[in-house]
Amino acid sequence: MIDQSQAMEILVESCPSFTSAWEAHIAEWSHEVLYVAAGDFAGHLLEIHRTGDRSQLARVVSALERLFLEGSPSVRDLATVGVLEGVQNFWANAGEDPEHFGIHLLPASRRAWDSLNSFWSGYRE
């Protein structure tokens, strides 16, 4: 089972262009404050999207799915609230439709994405 200490490493491995930002985060925060790093990662994904680097986005989507399928509950929370919600908020605030990312998600991560959308639209299960 993937724990929180491994989660960001898996995401960074899938997205090598985030390595320097991750190293800066580690230098300042160690492996603490992972939600900040996950939010930074979500913002970085917008930069990648805007460059058209589909191969790196595909690797990220696969890594996210792995976090949902193999991660501890805290890892799934980090992937949902830190990364997916970060994408939805960061991208929308930057004038980009977050669904440009969402359409690429695999089943487990897509369910989390859709749950976030339902939550923010006021639907409660």
Side-chain angles (χ1 to χ4, degrees), residues 61-73:
V61 166
S62 293
L64 276 169
E65 189 73 359
R66 183 175 171 212
L67 296 183
F68 280 103
L69 295 175
E70 300 174 29
S72 68

Side-chain angles (χ1 to χ4, degrees), residues 2-107:
I2 298 168
D3 64 32
Q4 269 198 339
S5 67
Q6 301 165 310
M8 283 303 300
E9 297 290 344
I10 289 168
L11 291 174
V12 173
E13 183 177 301
S14 75
C15 186
S17 61
F18 190 71
T19 301
S20 62
W22 175 240
E23 289 171 351
H25 177 85
I26 294 297
E28 183 173 353
W29 299 101
S30 182
H31 280 86
E32 298 173 15
V33 199
L34 291 180
Y35 282 84
V36 171
D40 292 344
F41 186 75
H44 183 73
L45 293 176
L46 177 59
E47 294 172 26
I48 292 169
H49 167 72
R50 287 182 170 165
T51 67
D53 186 350
R54 301 293 179 247
S55 64
Q56 198 163 202
L57 283 176
R59 288 191 307 271
V60 167
V61 166
S62 293
L64 276 169
E65 189 73 359
R66 183 175 171 212
L67 296 183
F68 280 103
L69 295 175
E70 300 174 29
S72 68
S74 63
V75 167
R76 292 190 301 272
D77 287 345
L78 178 69
T80 302
V81 177
V83 179
L84 296 182
E85 189 172 18
V87 166
Q88 290 178 346
N89 289 325
F90 193 93
W91 288 39
N93 289 333
E96 186 72 49
D97 182 358
E99 196 56 36
H100 290 148
F101 181 79
I103 61 171
H104 301 288
L105 293 171
L106 299 171

